[in-house]
Amino acid sequence: MADPVLFAADPNPEIASGITESRPARWGLMAIAFTFLTLFLVLPLVLVFMEASRKGLGYFFETLGEPDTLSAIHLTLLVAAISVPLNLVFGVAAAWAIAKFEFKGKAFLTTLVDLPFSVSPVISGLVYVLLFGAQSALGPWLKANGIEILFAVPGIVLATVFVTFPFVARELIPLMEEQGTGDEEAAISLGANGWQTFWYVTLPNIKWGLLYGVLLCNARAMGEFGAVSVVSGHIRGQTNTMPLHVEILYNEYNAAGAFAVASLLAGLALVTLALKTLLEMRYGAEIAATRGH
Amino acid sequence: MTTASAQAGWRFRKPSVIPGFGLTLGFSLVYLTLIILIPLSGLAWRSASLGWIDFWAIATDRRTVNALKISFGTALAAALINVVFGTIVAWVLVRYPFPGRRIVDAMVDLPFALPTAVAGIALTSLYAPKGWVGSLLAPLGMKIAYTPAGIVVALVFIGLPFVVRTVQPIIEEIDKEVEEAAATLGATRWQTITRVLFPGLAPAIVTGFALAFARGVGEYGSVIFIAGNLPNVSEIAPLLIVIRLEEFNYPAATAIAAIMLVISFAMLLVINLLQAWSRKRYG
């Protein structure tokens, strides 16, 4: 009989070589993957926190306590607090119509929902400049009536809504299609009305997928740069969100300040990733199989 | 009578006992129209009203052409790099158990969660001549930040999860018996990978490439810090749109945006056809 230790260490390498790579190849591929991930993901993340603390914690909190920084944090929270619920309601409504019913043009509508993903963020901002700017047909009327959209909070919200538009719907549509309509039909036939059916039957089925979509939507809403940059006008202390404030500090050669604000956003990203991983671990089957965005 | 005619004729939707179709579809369409369709058709209308001569002058302007070339070229290079390394990362994550695999797996999604401006300043500091990585490359005469290579670095960061997350589930689904059968029939491991496994992965790799490429073409936030933004050399098309807007040159901004959208949509269409073809061929 062969030594059991030999078996435990590695099965006969000659047989194993047919269904897995040789040991050098395995180590080589792992080395390539880890080097690549370190260069492109780990080092940038570590650098953000190192640079943020380089001038000491005193400077870190001083930067975060500045009125301009506080106003940027406030605006970022406000914009996310408006745009995420809007896209949440849209996502649920669109998923209900698309996943629970068969109708003509459904595939086309699904494509339209995804459209903002293939539009450059800069163009997402530009379309609102063309719609509401001083040179547009609406521009003079808005000005005469004292309505501010561009270079003000409404414009920033609109651009953020455009960019984060598909996130919730995209998570819910495949999930609800997979779940089918049996549960809802049973509830209706037992006498539930539409609202009760949604609240007591559908919502419990989709709650983790919904949370997952909201999480990704929120991360993008708080971090959006290109679209917001075009419509914001960069008025310090008024229309600067956190990512825009990072840019301003960085361009003023205040790297420590820029990285201090950036570290808050990086912290938000890490929390998002942790929650996302947790959701996938515990409720993977209840979240749409389509990972990605 | 009415049901008979409805069954025979064209019908908008299949009947269902579930309520709320009109309400949810109506709301979705109104919201979609207000937020996406009206603004986008505004862009189309404005660029159409430019007239051919003006449009052509902007489109063939040297700086515009170069910016478009740089945007599409660097996005292509970054997507190709991501196809190679992203597939290796996906393979390692699925096939080789190692401690901390779940954390590494979660890290792959960092580019989805990290705001692009943060990624931009971090990558710039890292790959600048005095940065951690840049200072290692500087003695070799390699300059990354403030050159087109810097744009590629930023786009590799942005596009990586698109490739890994489309290829990874397909590797997970591979039936081990297929590999065992190939090995039993005398194939070497290399032959099994290239002749048996790769064709099955090809459609997913093409999809990942397409997603990474499409995202890279339009990317702005992470690129502008690291690019150096030299006109005709390292100036991307989205930045040129912003510059034209700041000059109040709305026609030029509109025209460049329209060209970008048309090329992106055309490429997505081509890639979709390619995908359908590869699914037919290999799927």
Side-chain angles (χ1 to χ4, degrees), chain A residues 19-20 38 58 74 80 91 112 191 205 255:
Chain A
I19 52 165
T20 183
T38 306
H74 178 253
L112 283 183
N205 279 341

Side-chain angles (χ1 to χ4, degrees), chain B residues 52-116:
Chain B
W52 264 114
I53 298 168
D54 287 349
F55 189 89
W56 190 248
I58 297 164
T60 52
D61 174 58
R62 183 165 157 257
R63 198 166 160 189
T64 309
V65 172
N66 283 327
L68 288 169
K69 271 189 197 161
I70 292 161
S71 273
F72 283 89
T74 51
L76 182 71
L80 289 174
I81 292 173
N82 272 328
V83 158
V84 176
F85 290 98
T87 307
I88 293 176
V89 168
W91 185 264
V92 168
L93 281 174
V94 176
R95 286 303 177 94
Y96 305 152
F98 57 87
R101 179 159 72 162
R102 198 173 278 284
I103 293 172
V104 176
D105 190 85
M107 275 291 294
V108 169
D109 280 333
L110 182 70
F112 285 152
L114 193 69
T116 52

Side-chain angles (χ1 to χ4, degrees), chain A residues 21 87 120 128 135 276 292, chain B residues 31 35 46 96 109 112 218:
Chain A
E21 292 74 51
N87 282 335
S120 169
Y128 290 109
Q135 26 62 47
K276 184 172 177 290
Chain B
Y31 189 77
I35 299 290
R46 287 288 282 268
Y96 305 152
D109 280 333
F112 285 152

Side-chain angles (χ1 to χ4, degrees), chain B residues 165-240:
Chain B
R165 292 303 181 227
T166 37
V167 176
Q168 193 179 15
I170 310 299
I171 298 180
E172 275 165 5
E173 278 171 20
I174 293 175
D175 194 348
K176 278 255 180 190
E177 283 178 19
V178 176
E179 290 164 71
E180 284 165 12
T184 316
L185 293 169
T188 64
R189 186 62 187 160
W190 179 246
Q191 285 172 325
T192 308
I193 289 175
T194 53
R195 305 270 183 86
V196 180
L197 297 180
F198 179 75
L201 296 179
I205 292 177
V206 172
T207 308
F209 169 84
L211 292 171
F213 178 72
R215 176 69 204 265
V217 167
E219 178 56 22
Y220 175 73
S222 60
V223 173
I224 54 161
F225 295 99
I226 202 168
N229 305 328
L230 221 59
N232 300 315
V233 177
S234 56
E235 183 179 72
I236 54 167
L239 177 65
L240 190 56

